[in-house]
């Protein structure tokens, strides 16, 4: 039973992350009626911006949760600006074009953002530092970490 409950917790956390990505795709499609193949790359840029900010703040002695919030704010600003530019430059001029043109442009934006990210951050694995306490919370058998609690709580708030 303990293993079953642990797997339910793990499934809820993983499903929450999938739900947030799906929500992003749904919102974009609902607004501009285009499947934005660059959506994942925008998220990747946000993660890399966060990684850069956390790396820059690592030696300041700041608590991890504060570094995480600062990195999140910076990532939101960069991702919002990047999404605005992509929509303005690549998608808006093709608003009344045949359906294939915006689709090809979306794929092109995806490749462009991947390439730019590799040029700026290099194509090497980048471990993200642990910013929250790693001590698991014992639920009488199954355990949950603070990070998993933040993921579940954030998902519930965003989906609500």
């Amino acid at each position: 039973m303990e293993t079953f409950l642990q797997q339910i917790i793990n499934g809820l956390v993983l499903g929450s992350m999938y739900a947030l990505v799906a929500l992003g795709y749904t919102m974009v499609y609902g607004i501009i009626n285009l499947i934005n193949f660059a959506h994942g790359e925008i998220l990747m840029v946000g993660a890399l911006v966060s990684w850069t900010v956390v790396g820059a703040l690592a030696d300041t002695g700041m608590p991890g949760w504060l570094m995480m919030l600062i990195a999140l704010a910076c990532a939101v600003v960069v991702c919002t600006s990047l999404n605005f530019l992509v929509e303005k430059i690549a998608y808006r001029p093709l608003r009344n074009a045949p359906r294939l043109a915006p689709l090809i442009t979306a794929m092109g934006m995806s490749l462009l953002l991947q390439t730019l990210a590799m040029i700026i951050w290099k194509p090497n694995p980048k471990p993200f530092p642990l910013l929250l306490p790693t001590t698991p919370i014992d639920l009488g058998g199954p355990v949950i970490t603070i990070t998993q609690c933040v993921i579940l709580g954030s998902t519930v708030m965003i989906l609500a």
Side-chain angles (χ1 to χ4, degrees):
M1 188 63 168
E2 178 181 324
T3 304
F4 178 69
L5 292 174
Q6 184 65 55
Q7 291 306 325
I8 287 191
I9 292 169
N10 295 341
L12 285 171
V13 170
L14 185 60
S16 293
M17 290 188 275
Y18 289 149
L20 291 173
V21 172
L23 178 66
Y25 274 111
T26 303
M27 288 178 67
V28 170
Y29 185 78
I31 293 169
I32 63 174
N33 290 327
L34 169 72
I35 297 174
N36 184 5
F37 287 108
H39 183 73
E41 282 67 28
I42 301 285
L43 296 175
M44 170 200 62
V45 169
L48 289 169
V49 166
S50 294
W51 178 81
T52 303
V53 170
V54 168
L57 297 175
D59 296 330
T60 62
M62 207 178 286
W65 63 268
L66 184 57
M67 283 193 288
M68 184 177 70
L69 289 177
I70 293 170
L72 176 66
C74 292
V76 166
V77 168
V78 169
C79 288
T80 301
S81 303
L82 185 57
N83 260 328
F84 178 77
L85 284 173
V86 167
E87 199 278 331
K88 184 97 170 153
I89 294 169
Y91 300 150
R92 189 171 294 172
L94 300 173
R95 199 57 74 141
N96 296 319
R99 296 291 284 168
L100 190 57
L103 190 66
I104 292 170
T105 302
M107 288 183 207
M109 285 308 304
S110 172
L111 291 172
L112 176 68
L113 290 173
Q114 287 177 30
T115 304
L116 289 174
M118 284 191 280
I119 290 170
I120 295 169
W121 286 283
K122 309 293 181 246
N124 303 326
K126 294 171 181 20
F128 204 91
L130 298 172
L131 301 174
L132 298 174
T134 57
T135 308
I137 301 166
D138 190 359
L139 301 175
V143 296
I144 189 166
T145 64
I146 300 293
T147 303
Q148 290 174 320
C149 289
V150 168
I151 290 169
L152 288 170
S154 300
T155 301
V156 167
M157 287 189 314
I158 290 169
L159 291 179

